[in-house]
Amino acid sequence: MRLTRTLLTTVLVIVALVLQVTVLARLQLPGAVPDLLLLTVLGLALVYGHVGGALAGFGAGLLADIAPPADHAVGRYALVLCVIGYAAGLTRPETGPHRSATVPMIVVGAGAVASTLLYAGVGTLVGDTAVALGGLITLVVTATLYDLLLAPFAVPLVMALARKLEDDPLAAESVSGSAGGNDTINSWAQPSRASLFKRPGGSTKPWSPLLGRKGRTSRVTMGGRPKAGRIKGVKRL
């Protein structure tokens, strides 16, 4: 990723993690905790694509794994957010940004469900935390609900910041400047219209180079470019 992407991603992830641990985790809401870190990764992935989303997700998840008061295995949430960020980045259109909020909201809902299931699955595989089926269903429902309610405030802000820094005014100036320079060169290189249609010998009668001596048209070639225990960290299980 470019330097601006790296700096923006770092700042947004740190701010989201601080708000997640100090504010959202202390609300004592039933079920899961609103996952602001997940929404930040999803917003970046929707702008940067699958590669940028995977890198942002891995970095954000690793920071959440080592930041206190996390007590789960290091790398657990990094793997989850890396996969989620990659999958969310695949939904970015090739022709430009998303035209409506439908696809981002679908991505948020799917990301909330998938991140909770993957987090619980990875924890079961590594023997970190075992989750009962009833408790897992409650976590999935509440996590999806909280993230969908928080998404209209967080995701558009993250996407707007990412898109703003993606526009490089210096590059745009250089492109417009080079285009203007080419127009000037072309205007100097091409003769005037009057000289093109001036008859040889100084006559002022209009004359076209496409006509031969006997009035026949000659060819001119033009070149083309042709219920379970609760984790104290970011996730709660």
Side-chain angles (χ1 to χ4, degrees):
M1 293 191 295
R2 293 200 301 261
L3 180 60
T4 54
R5 286 189 178 187
T6 305
L7 292 177
L8 178 64
T9 301
T10 303
V11 172
L12 291 178
V13 165
I14 292 176
V15 172
L17 182 61
V18 171
L19 292 176
Q20 177 96 13
V21 175
T22 61
V23 178
L24 298 178
R26 297 177 182 273
L27 295 178
Q28 298 299 323
L29 296 174
V33 176
D35 200 341
L36 184 59
L37 197 62
L38 171 65
L39 298 179
T40 302
V41 171
L42 291 178
L44 293 173
L46 290 172
V47 177
Y48 294 155
H50 59 282
V51 176
L55 293 175
F58 180 80
L62 187 61
L63 185 61
D65 287 333
I66 62 178
D71 57 356
H72 55 271
V74 176
R76 179 178 173 183
Y77 204 40
L79 175 61
V80 171
L81 287 187
C82 181
V83 174
I84 297 297
Y86 182 87
L90 293 176
T91 65
R92 186 188 68 169
E94 295 293 337
T95 57
H98 293 280
R99 299 299 181 183
S100 66
T102 304
V103 174
M105 291 303 292
I106 294 176
V107 170
V108 170
V113 174
S115 64
T116 304
L117 294 177
L118 284 174
Y119 188 79
V122 173
T124 302
L125 290 176
V126 300
D128 196 5
T129 303
V131 184
L133 180 59
L136 182 59
I137 295 176
T138 302
L139 288 173
V140 170
V141 173
T142 54
T144 305
L145 177 62
Y146 296 154
D147 291 345
L148 287 176
L149 292 176
L150 187 60
F153 304 97
V155 176
L157 178 60
V158 173
M159 295 179 66
L161 291 174
R163 286 172 181 163
K164 184 176 181 179
L165 292 185
E166 281 292 282
D167 299 332
D168 191 354
L170 295 179
E173 271 186 33
S174 64
V175 171
S176 61
S178 62
N182 291 336
D183 293 340
T184 305
I185 293 173
N186 291 335
S187 64
W188 279 96
Q190 294 178 356
S192 63
R193 184 179 298 272
S195 62
L196 284 176
F197 292 94
K198 187 176 181 181
R199 179 180 291 276
S203 175
T204 58
K205 186 177 180 180
W207 172 81
S208 173
L210 299 179
L211 298 178
R213 290 185 177 182
K214 297 182 180 181
R216 296 178 179 177
T217 303
S218 59
R219 296 179 180 272
V220 178
T221 303
M222 302 294 292
R225 311 266 186 253
K227 190 142 190 198
R230 289 184 173 180
I231 292 215
K232 301 178 181 179
V234 177
K235 277 290 192 185
R236 177 186 296 173
L237 289 181

